[in-house]
Amino acid sequence: IHHDTIAEKFGDRVKKILSDAMQMQSLERFKRLTENQHSQIENLRKILLAMVTDIRAVIIILAERLVMLREAKNIPVDQQLDLARQTMKVYAPLANRLGIWQLKWEMEDMCLRYSEPDTYKAIASGLANKRAEREEYIQHAMQTLTDLLRQQHIKDFKVTGRIKHIYSIYTKMKRKGAKLEQIYDVSAMRVLVPTVDDCYSVMGILHHTWEHIPAEFDDYISQPKSNGYQSIHTVIIGPENKNVEIQIRTYAMHDTSELGVASHWSYKENIKSATNYEEKIALLRQVMAWSKEISTDATNKNNVQVKDLFSDRVYVFTPLGDIIDLPSGATPLDFAYAVHSEIGHRCRGAKVNGKLVQLTYPLKTGERIEIQTTKIAHPSRDWLNPHKGYIKTVRARNHIQHWFRNNEPAEKAIPHEQEAKPVKKAKVPPAHDQSMTKRGFSQNVSNYLTKFSRCCKPLPGDRIIGYITQKAGLSVHRLDCSNFLYLKAKNPERILEISVSDKHGEAFPVDLEIIGNSKAKLLQAITTALANANVHIVAISENTPKAAINSTFFLTIRIYSMDELNRAIALLHHIPDVIEVKRR
């Protein structure tokens, strides 16, 4: 059906939802993502949300995927496996993060049925009753528990129940190395009460009424989990002599579990997120919960829109189908430098979805970017002009500045942003020369133009020395700098003792050399570790010959003190595959 026809019959709102859904469907052509590294799969999940303006489009796509799984029993086995693999890597986790449990559970069960049919059948046959019968049992058990708590005068409580789905049983058996009969929460109930005292009162009633299994008792209220989760877990031998797990918690604990820190998918999936993405997911789950209770009139229609939540990032594709995550407003030039610095240096043009665009074009989520390059690397100085809009990212700016520092004469090169700016001779007594004392220099250098040398990049806290040059004033070196030792031997009369205080407010560049296992994904581990420690990387490169046992990386980081440098080096030493870290 044509979009205009849909709009005519059902309105622009429905047209937009279906348009979003169709746009998400177009991502199917990038099937290689489901076989790629974890970060790429994670970015695909983000794209699925970032491309839509209405959360209902995501629900349509998830529902469509479930229908495909239900109808896949008659397709070839290899296609079943491919469908199951895609679903488990992209769609089931997405349903999990949005809290759409029914879709998630059925997807996971059907994926297990296709990927490991023998295991699925063994668990299914091992369960004494069919699912419908187990559903009937849990409803009966819930009513029995409700009547019991009313008789014991427990107030304002709520009892819910569920039966564990086959995939969940499978993962628990695998995790614990247990047999099916050792899994006690195949059927489970939850009791919500107003206060902590009520939690322990309910626990006492349960243990007095039914026999419980001590080995399966956990008190996460008195000893919460590391993610803040709180609840009492106990397994009773309940009605009909069947094992039933019961969770007891307050309403506030339940809200935290469902929408707060304890519910975060990043914790449950053992993912350390460096952005506020998980907060957006939590908000989306709240939006979906609210949307069940509100009307669909015009005054509430914006409550289920999500476009503003993901407007701060764009996710675009390389020609091979990899996903690059960039800030909103990023350009093809930012994309080029995000892929590799050499691609950025040699960039001369770009195509977006096959069409030529200007290098200042603001990229949009879902677009496919192709960079046109020249053989000789030579960035343009215009790229650094903030008024011309060529670049948005700090990464691109740092790479461009680094290229000019290394490839053009010093008098033409752009000064390093962390180097001391030349300071003219003071016109006031040295004690009042604020431009010098701001950087913490001792009062004997105020008559010189002063700069930190590029060869050894001295840092506050280093043992330093000054060398009076013929034209450039006073050059500050580390005492162990090989260049300085050569200058000292040649012109000892030009040496000037100086010091720099540790009290300063500026960052300094420091060069590091890292040697590690060439077979490990060291670059990712290094950048992740430093980013988590809020250490800014100015530049990074690798120098590893083919077939080499070890990799060598050269980093320039921005540091405020010697203590911060020592912490950064210690952090790098803790990466398992790092062999050596040294300052250059």
Side-chain angles (χ1 to χ4, degrees):
I1 303 176
H2 194 274
H3 281 198
D4 292 338
T5 305
I6 294 174
E8 190 176 312
K9 290 188 176 182
F10 303 103
D12 290 336
R13 187 77 173 165
V14 173
K15 172 187 172 182
K16 182 56 181 171
I17 293 173
L18 292 179
S19 176
D20 283 349
M22 292 176 68
Q23 194 174 9
M24 293 169 69
Q25 283 177 325
S26 68
L27 295 180
E28 283 295 313
R29 67 182 183 273
F30 299 104
K31 289 184 178 180
R32 71 184 294 272
L33 287 170
T34 59
E35 300 174 358
N36 211 326
Q37 58 185 343
H38 175 81
S39 61
Q40 289 296 302
I41 298 169
E42 184 58 33
N43 281 335
L44 178 58
R45 295 174 190 148
K46 293 179 181 180
I47 283 185
L48 288 173
L49 292 176
M51 289 180 72
V52 304
T53 57
D54 194 306
I55 192 62
R56 288 173 288 188
V58 181
I59 298 174
I60 290 174
I61 289 298
L62 293 175
E64 181 189 42
R65 174 59 50 148
L66 182 57
V67 170
M68 292 171 65
L69 288 167
R70 288 173 176 174
E71 296 178 350
K73 56 186 177 181
N74 297 320
I75 65 175
V77 173
D78 60 334
Q79 294 182 26
Q80 289 178 345
L81 290 173
D82 188 49
L83 185 65
R85 183 168 55 251
Q86 290 180 29
T87 302
M88 290 303 293
K89 288 189 175 182
V90 178
Y91 296 94
L94 187 58
N96 175 52
R97 294 170 192 194
L98 294 177
I100 313 175
W101 312 123
Q102 192 59 46
L103 285 176
K104 169 188 178 289
W105 294 335
E106 190 171 350
M107 281 183 184
E108 290 175 339
D109 277 3
M110 301 197 76
C111 287
L112 181 63
R113 182 178 182 180
Y114 294 134
S115 60
E116 297 188 41
D118 293 339
T119 302
Y120 178 88
K121 290 176 183 177
I123 296 175
S125 62
L127 296 172
N129 304 313
K130 294 181 180 178
R131 187 175 184 89
E133 294 173 341
R134 288 186 287 140
E135 290 276 11
E136 184 178 349
Y137 170 78
I138 202 67
Q139 292 297 325
H140 172 69
M142 287 168 56
Q143 187 59 54
T144 301
L145 179 56
T146 298
D147 294 340
L148 175 64
L149 296 180
R150 284 174 178 166
Q151 293 170 9
Q152 298 297 322
H153 307 293
I154 300 296
K155 297 181 180 180
D156 301 325
F157 67 89
K158 181 180 180 180
V159 176
T160 60
R162 60 114 176 103
I163 57 171
K164 205 173 188 72
H165 62 298
I166 292 176
Y167 180 80
S168 181
I169 295 172
Y170 161 75
T171 56
K172 195 160 190 176
M173 290 170 59
K174 193 174 181 180
R175 185 175 69 251
K176 288 192 169 186
K179 296 180 180 180
L180 178 60
E181 56 268 23
Q182 296 173 300
I183 304 300
Y184 295 106
D185 61 342
V186 171
S187 298
M189 291 186 289
R190 180 179 294 140
V191 182
L192 304 182
V193 289
T195 69
V196 171
D197 288 342
D198 291 331
C199 291
Y200 288 101
S201 294
V202 170
M203 181 194 73
I205 293 169
L206 292 174
H207 289 181
H208 178 75
T209 306
W210 291 291
E211 182 182 352
H212 75 285
I213 302 175
E216 296 299 316
F217 176 79
D218 290 294
D219 185 355
Y220 295 120
I221 292 180
S222 62
Q223 294 183 317
K225 290 186 178 182
S226 60
N227 67 333
Y229 175 84
Q230 289 184 288
S231 185
I232 294 173
H233 291 193
T234 187
V235 175
I236 63 167
I237 303 175
E240 301 180 24
N241 209 36
K242 293 181 179 179
N243 296 332
V244 182
E245 182 192 62
I246 300 180
Q247 299 175 356
I248 311 165
R249 63 180 70 152
T250 67
Y251 288 99
M253 293 173 188
H254 183 65
D255 288 341
T256 300
S257 174
E258 293 299 302
L259 296 172
V261 174
S263 72
H264 279 179
W265 49 266
S266 57
Y267 175 86
K268 293 181 179 179
E269 298 179 21
N270 197 26
I271 297 172
K272 292 183 179 180
S273 176
T275 68
N276 63 348
Y277 182 64
E278 68 271 20
E279 295 176 3
K280 298 176 182 179
I281 292 293
L283 182 55
L284 276 181
R285 289 174 64 174
Q286 289 179 319
V287 167
M288 293 178 68
W290 296 333
S291 68
K292 295 177 183 177
E293 303 173 4
I294 61 176
S295 63
T296 56
D297 61 15
T299 59
N300 290 316
K301 66 181 182 180
N302 290 326
N303 284 337
V304 289
Q305 290 191 0
V306 298
K307 59 183 180 181
D308 292 337
L309 285 178
F310 298 93
S311 60
D312 60 333
R313 308 297 298 177
V314 292
Y315 304 93
V316 293
F317 291 97
T318 69
L320 293 178
D322 289 326
I323 298 173
I324 303 297
D325 178 354
L326 295 167
S328 179
T331 66
L333 202 53
D334 288 309
F335 170 89
Y337 277 104
V339 174
H340 197 282
S341 59
E342 279 301 308
I343 295 178
H345 293 334
R346 295 189 289 114
C347 176
R348 285 299 175 267
K351 288 184 178 181
V352 172
N353 295 338
K355 296 181 180 180
L356 285 171
V357 297
Q358 295 182 350
L359 292 181
T360 55
Y361 171 83
L363 301 177
K364 301 179 183 64
T365 289
E367 291 179 328
R368 180 179 179 273
I369 317 302
E370 181 181 354
I371 299 298
Q372 299 174 326
T373 60
T374 60
K375 292 184 179 180
I376 301 175
H378 200 301
S380 168
R381 286 192 176 278
D382 284 344
W383 295 354
L384 292 171
N385 188 330
H387 302 293
K388 295 192 175 182
Y390 280 102
I391 55 174
K392 173 82 172 181
T393 62
V394 174
R395 176 188 176 94
R397 180 169 297 278
N398 286 340
H399 277 306
I400 296 168
Q401 290 176 334
H402 187 264
W403 188 93
F404 279 114
R405 284 196 300 271
N406 290 340
N407 292 276
E408 289 199 351
E411 62 270 17
K412 293 184 179 179
I414 298 172
H416 194 291
E417 60 180 357
Q418 302 306 326
E419 291 180 349
K421 297 180 180 178
V423 182
K424 295 182 179 180
K425 182 177 179 179
K427 296 182 180 179
V428 294
H432 300 286
D433 188 353
Q434 297 179 358
S435 63
M436 300 303 295
T437 57
K438 180 182 178 181
R439 293 192 66 87
F441 278 97
S442 55
Q443 309 311 332
N444 66 333
V445 299
S446 59
N447 291 329
Y448 296 94
L449 297 170
T450 307
K451 66 176 183 179
F452 284 94
S453 65
R454 296 175 182 172
C455 54
C456 59
K457 294 184 173 66
L459 186 69
D462 280 331
R463 297 176 62 197
I464 60 172
I465 197 74
Y467 179 81
I468 304 172
T469 66
Q470 289 184 334
K471 296 182 180 180
L474 185 70
S475 178
V476 181
H477 294 261
R478 286 172 18 207
L479 273 176
D480 59 353
C481 175
S482 58
N483 283 348
F484 167 73
L485 295 175
Y486 169 79
L487 295 171
K488 178 182 178 182
K490 187 177 181 181
N491 300 298
E493 72 279 4
R494 295 187 181 180
I495 305 304
L496 181 64
E497 292 187 0
I498 59 173
S499 64
V500 179
S501 169
D502 282 335
K503 298 179 179 180
H504 58 88
E506 296 188 51
F508 295 75
V510 178
D511 292 334
L512 298 177
E513 180 178 345
I514 303 175
I515 301 174
N517 185 350
S518 63
K519 294 183 179 180
K521 295 182 179 178
L522 261 187
L523 181 60
Q524 181 179 351
I526 290 168
T527 56
T528 300
L530 292 177
N532 289 339
N534 294 319
V535 176
H536 180 69
I537 300 175
V538 176
I540 186 168
S541 61
E542 182 180 6
N543 181 19
T544 305
K546 290 184 178 179
I549 298 177
N550 296 326
S551 297
T552 302
F553 295 92
F554 299 104
L555 275 75
T556 301
I557 59 176
R558 198 161 57 191
I559 290 295
Y560 285 87
S561 68
M562 183 61 70
D563 286 343
E564 187 178 359
L565 174 61
N566 291 335
R567 287 195 297 270
I569 292 175
L571 183 67
L572 292 170
H573 272 298
H574 278 84
I575 297 175
D577 291 293
V578 168
I579 298 171
E580 182 180 6
V581 181
K582 59 184 178 181
R583 187 175 173 190
R584 291 195 291 155

mmCIF file of all heavy atoms in Angstrom, residues 234-253:
data_model
loop_
_atom_site.group_PDB
_atom_site.id
_atom_site.type_symbol
_atom_site.label_atom_id
_atom_site.label_comp_id
_atom_site.label_asym_id
_atom_site.label_seq_id
_atom_site.Cartn_x
_atom_site.Cartn_y
_atom_site.Cartn_z
ATOM 1 N N THR A 234 13.006 -17.115 48.475
ATOM 2 C CA THR A 234 12.879 -18.384 49.185
ATOM 3 C C THR A 234 12.144 -19.378 48.310
ATOM 4 O O THR A 234 11.330 -18.985 47.463
ATOM 5 C CB THR A 234 12.136 -18.194 50.531
ATOM 6 O OG1 THR A 234 12.185 -19.414 51.270
ATOM 7 C CG2 THR A 234 10.683 -17.781 50.322
ATOM 8 N N VAL A 235 12.448 -20.661 48.469
ATOM 9 C CA VAL A 235 11.770 -21.723 47.723
ATOM 10 C C VAL A 235 11.010 -22.586 48.716
ATOM 11 O O VAL A 235 11.605 -23.146 49.649
ATOM 12 C CB VAL A 235 12.764 -22.589 46.920
ATOM 13 C CG1 VAL A 235 12.032 -23.749 46.249
ATOM 14 C CG2 VAL A 235 13.475 -21.741 45.879
ATOM 15 N N ILE A 236 9.676 -22.687 48.515
ATOM 16 C CA ILE A 236 8.831 -23.501 49.397
ATOM 17 C C ILE A 236 8.356 -24.743 48.649
ATOM 18 O O ILE A 236 8.320 -24.771 47.417
ATOM 19 C CB ILE A 236 7.621 -22.698 49.909
ATOM 20 C CG1 ILE A 236 6.716 -22.295 48.727
ATOM 21 C CG2 ILE A 236 8.058 -21.481 50.709
ATOM 22 C CD1 ILE A 236 5.354 -21.771 49.150
ATOM 23 N N ILE A 237 8.024 -25.764 49.420
ATOM 24 C CA ILE A 237 7.345 -26.932 48.847
ATOM 25 C C ILE A 237 5.870 -26.645 49.033
ATOM 26 O O ILE A 237 5.281 -26.905 50.089
ATOM 27 C CB ILE A 237 7.782 -28.226 49.557
ATOM 28 C CG1 ILE A 237 9.306 -28.380 49.460
ATOM 29 C CG2 ILE A 237 7.086 -29.435 48.934
ATOM 30 C CD1 ILE A 237 9.859 -29.554 50.229
ATOM 31 N N GLY A 238 5.266 -26.051 48.011
ATOM 32 C CA GLY A 238 3.956 -25.441 48.113
ATOM 33 C C GLY A 238 2.801 -26.353 47.799
ATOM 34 O O GLY A 238 2.892 -27.581 47.981
ATOM 35 N N PRO A 239 1.692 -25.759 47.341
ATOM 36 C CA PRO A 239 0.504 -26.550 47.002
ATOM 37 C C PRO A 239 0.834 -27.684 46.042
ATOM 38 O O PRO A 239 1.685 -27.558 45.172
ATOM 39 C CB PRO A 239 -0.413 -25.514 46.341
ATOM 40 C CG PRO A 239 0.015 -24.203 46.934
ATOM 41 C CD PRO A 239 1.509 -24.334 47.119
ATOM 42 N N GLU A 240 0.162 -28.812 46.241
ATOM 43 C CA GLU A 240 0.364 -30.021 45.439
ATOM 44 C C GLU A 240 1.782 -30.555 45.574
ATOM 45 O O GLU A 240 2.285 -31.269 44.705
ATOM 46 C CB GLU A 240 0.015 -29.768 43.966
ATOM 47 C CG GLU A 240 -1.424 -29.321 43.748
ATOM 48 C CD GLU A 240 -1.729 -29.082 42.283
ATOM 49 O OE1 GLU A 240 -1.047 -29.663 41.409
ATOM 50 O OE2 GLU A 240 -2.660 -28.301 42.001
ATOM 51 N N ASN A 241 2.476 -30.161 46.659
ATOM 52 C CA ASN A 241 3.829 -30.670 46.944
ATOM 53 C C ASN A 241 4.835 -30.309 45.853
ATOM 54 O O ASN A 241 5.766 -31.052 45.570
ATOM 55 C CB ASN A 241 3.795 -32.185 47.150
ATOM 56 C CG ASN A 241 4.903 -32.645 48.094
ATOM 57 O OD1 ASN A 241 5.241 -31.950 49.051
ATOM 58 N ND2 ASN A 241 5.472 -33.805 47.814
ATOM 59 N N LYS A 242 4.661 -29.123 45.226
ATOM 60 C CA LYS A 242 5.558 -28.686 44.149
ATOM 61 C C LYS A 242 6.421 -27.523 44.634
ATOM 62 O O LYS A 242 5.969 -26.695 45.435
ATOM 63 C CB LYS A 242 4.750 -28.252 42.924
ATOM 64 C CG LYS A 242 4.012 -29.401 42.261
ATOM 65 C CD LYS A 242 3.237 -28.914 41.044
ATOM 66 C CE LYS A 242 2.512 -30.069 40.359
ATOM 67 N NZ LYS A 242 1.728 -29.603 39.186
ATOM 68 N N ASN A 243 7.662 -27.471 44.134
ATOM 69 C CA ASN A 243 8.572 -26.389 44.500
ATOM 70 C C ASN A 243 8.158 -25.087 43.820
ATOM 71 O O ASN A 243 7.917 -25.052 42.614
ATOM 72 C CB ASN A 243 10.002 -26.728 44.083
ATOM 73 C CG ASN A 243 10.551 -27.929 44.823
ATOM 74 O OD1 ASN A 243 10.149 -28.218 45.952
ATOM 75 N ND2 ASN A 243 11.475 -28.643 44.203
ATOM 76 N N VAL A 244 8.104 -24.018 44.597
ATOM 77 C CA VAL A 244 7.750 -22.698 44.066
ATOM 78 C C VAL A 244 8.705 -21.666 44.669
ATOM 79 O O VAL A 244 8.851 -21.593 45.894
ATOM 80 C CB VAL A 244 6.298 -22.301 44.401
ATOM 81 C CG1 VAL A 244 5.969 -20.939 43.794
ATOM 82 C CG2 VAL A 244 5.318 -23.351 43.917
ATOM 83 N N GLU A 245 9.350 -20.873 43.820
ATOM 84 C CA GLU A 245 10.176 -19.773 44.325
ATOM 85 C C GLU A 245 9.274 -18.575 44.603
ATOM 86 O O GLU A 245 8.385 -18.258 43.798
ATOM 87 C CB GLU A 245 11.245 -19.370 43.315
ATOM 88 C CG GLU A 245 12.140 -18.247 43.869
ATOM 89 C CD GLU A 245 13.029 -17.607 42.822
ATOM 90 O OE1 GLU A 245 12.496 -17.023 41.870
ATOM 91 O OE2 GLU A 245 14.249 -17.691 42.977
ATOM 92 N N ILE A 246 9.501 -17.910 45.723
ATOM 93 C CA ILE A 246 8.737 -16.704 46.062
ATOM 94 C C ILE A 246 9.715 -15.575 46.373
ATOM 95 O O ILE A 246 10.645 -15.739 47.166
ATOM 96 C CB ILE A 246 7.808 -16.950 47.267
ATOM 97 C CG1 ILE A 246 6.805 -18.063 46.946
ATOM 98 C CG2 ILE A 246 7.058 -15.659 47.632
ATOM 99 C CD1 ILE A 246 5.850 -18.386 48.067
ATOM 100 N N GLN A 247 9.507 -14.440 45.719
ATOM 101 C CA GLN A 247 10.284 -13.230 45.970
ATOM 102 C C GLN A 247 9.423 -12.264 46.767
ATOM 103 O O GLN A 247 8.250 -12.051 46.440
ATOM 104 C CB GLN A 247 10.720 -12.577 44.657
ATOM 105 C CG GLN A 247 11.603 -13.460 43.786
ATOM 106 C CD GLN A 247 11.913 -12.815 42.449
ATOM 107 O OE1 GLN A 247 11.407 -11.738 42.128
ATOM 108 N NE2 GLN A 247 12.741 -13.476 41.654
ATOM 109 N N ILE A 248 10.012 -11.679 47.794
ATOM 110 C CA ILE A 248 9.287 -10.744 48.655
ATOM 111 C C ILE A 248 10.052 -9.426 48.677
ATOM 112 O O ILE A 248 11.248 -9.410 49.001
ATOM 113 C CB ILE A 248 9.157 -11.293 50.093
ATOM 114 C CG1 ILE A 248 8.640 -12.738 50.078
ATOM 115 C CG2 ILE A 248 8.250 -10.400 50.923
ATOM 116 C CD1 ILE A 248 8.835 -13.460 51.399
ATOM 117 N N ARG A 249 9.382 -8.346 48.354
ATOM 118 C CA ARG A 249 10.054 -7.036 48.334
ATOM 119 C C ARG A 249 9.029 -5.924 48.542
ATOM 120 O O ARG A 249 7.819 -6.133 48.396
ATOM 121 C CB ARG A 249 10.777 -6.824 47.009
ATOM 122 C CG ARG A 249 9.865 -6.784 45.803
ATOM 123 C CD ARG A 249 10.610 -6.579 44.494
ATOM 124 N NE ARG A 249 11.406 -7.714 44.098
ATOM 125 C CZ ARG A 249 11.697 -7.999 42.821
ATOM 126 N NH1 ARG A 249 11.267 -7.205 41.842
ATOM 127 N NH2 ARG A 249 12.419 -9.055 42.510
ATOM 128 N N THR A 250 9.504 -4.726 48.850
ATOM 129 C CA THR A 250 8.603 -3.584 48.969
ATOM 130 C C THR A 250 8.294 -3.025 47.582
ATOM 131 O O THR A 250 8.980 -3.337 46.608
ATOM 132 C CB THR A 250 9.223 -2.467 49.825
ATOM 133 O OG1 THR A 250 10.357 -1.925 49.117
ATOM 134 C CG2 THR A 250 9.665 -2.982 51.185
ATOM 135 N N TYR A 251 7.276 -2.187 47.521
ATOM 136 C CA TYR A 251 6.928 -1.557 46.239
ATOM 137 C C TYR A 251 8.087 -0.705 45.730
ATOM 138 O O TYR A 251 8.372 -0.670 44.536
ATOM 139 C CB TYR A 251 5.663 -0.697 46.387
ATOM 140 C CG TYR A 251 4.401 -1.507 46.550
ATOM 141 C CD1 TYR A 251 3.851 -1.728 47.811
ATOM 142 C CD2 TYR A 251 3.750 -2.044 45.447
ATOM 143 C CE1 TYR A 251 2.688 -2.472 47.977
ATOM 144 C CE2 TYR A 251 2.574 -2.787 45.596
ATOM 145 C CZ TYR A 251 2.051 -3.007 46.857
ATOM 146 O OH TYR A 251 0.905 -3.741 47.002
ATOM 147 N N ALA A 252 8.767 -0.006 46.656
ATOM 148 C CA ALA A 252 9.900 0.839 46.256
ATOM 149 C C ALA A 252 11.040 -0.010 45.696
ATOM 150 O O ALA A 252 11.673 0.355 44.697
ATOM 151 C CB ALA A 252 10.391 1.652 47.456
ATOM 152 N N MET A 253 11.316 -1.146 46.332
ATOM 153 C CA MET A 253 12.353 -2.049 45.818
ATOM 154 C C MET A 253 11.989 -2.558 44.427
ATOM 155 O O MET A 253 12.848 -2.711 43.557
ATOM 156 C CB MET A 253 12.541 -3.239 46.766
ATOM 157 C CG MET A 253 13.111 -2.889 48.124
ATOM 158 S SD MET A 253 13.084 -4.334 49.227
ATOM 159 C CE MET A 253 13.560 -3.569 50.786
#
